[in-house]
Amino acid sequence: MRIVVVAVGRLRPPFADDIQHYQKLLARHVRLELIQVRDDEPVARRIPERAFVSLLDRQGERFDSIGFSHFLETRRQSGRDLCFVVGGPFGLTMERVDHRTSLGDITLPHQLARVVVLEQLYRAHKILAGEPYHY
């Protein structure tokens, strides 16, 4: 399974360093692809065909770390790529989504939301591998 994160807007420091850090950590666990979309570009065109699409949405499903790892394992068992979509500073509405994921009630800057998604993906893979995930 490949995990794709499609995100609207340009990534700037200091978040770019954090993204690179988690990309390196995730490389041994999963094929990860990060796609950056301009604010004026249609997001749907950048989503891989046949991927299971989860839009980050405040009203979406909430997970704890173990629940998120179970979600990830279920997606892995399905055999489809998994695509998380992160909106830009003004949010994002999409017609075709399979799922909505919430990072909680707080509002995060869209760049920080990308970092949180990658960190949670890393943590979930550590859980699935039976490795310690708390530091």
Side-chain angles (χ1 to χ4, degrees):
M1 174 180 82
R2 172 178 61 145
I3 296 178
V4 179
V5 178
V6 176
V8 176
R10 212 170 124 211
L11 192 61
R12 294 191 168 94
F15 303 107
D17 293 339
D18 296 327
I19 294 292
Q20 285 179 344
H21 171 72
Y22 284 109
Q23 273 184 291
K24 276 188 220 172
L25 293 175
L26 279 162
R28 64 175 258 217
H29 295 282
V30 68
R31 288 185 314 145
L32 177 69
E33 183 178 342
L34 303 177
I35 299 173
Q36 195 165 265
V37 179
R38 291 188 326 265
D39 293 328
D40 61 347
E41 184 180 351
V43 173
R45 286 195 292 167
R46 302 300 298 272
I47 294 174
E49 214 174 285
R50 297 187 43 212
F52 182 92
V53 178
S54 184
L55 176 66
L56 265 63
D57 183 336
R58 173 173 75 128
Q59 302 300 318
E61 183 177 1
R62 295 180 187 188
F63 297 103
D64 61 14
S65 295
I66 293 178
F68 188 66
S69 71
H70 292 307
F71 169 77
L72 211 55
E73 181 59 22
T74 301
R75 300 298 357 123
R76 186 178 359 208
Q77 295 297 324
S78 77
R80 290 171 64 189
D81 289 340
L82 174 58
C83 179
F84 288 97
V85 180
V86 182
F90 303 107
L92 180 66
T93 56
M94 291 180 54
E95 288 182 27
R96 188 191 84 77
V97 297
D98 300 301
H99 183 261
R100 294 176 189 275
T101 301
S102 173
L103 298 178
D105 287 336
I106 60 173
T107 301
L108 296 173
H110 65 284
Q111 294 181 58
L112 180 56
R114 290 187 220 185
V115 175
V116 172
V117 167
L118 292 185
E119 189 279 334
Q120 286 301 301
L121 286 169
Y122 175 67
R123 188 176 299 267
H125 280 89
K126 296 281 281 182
I127 291 168
L128 292 171
E131 299 174 6
Y133 66 96
H134 286 294
Y135 299 101

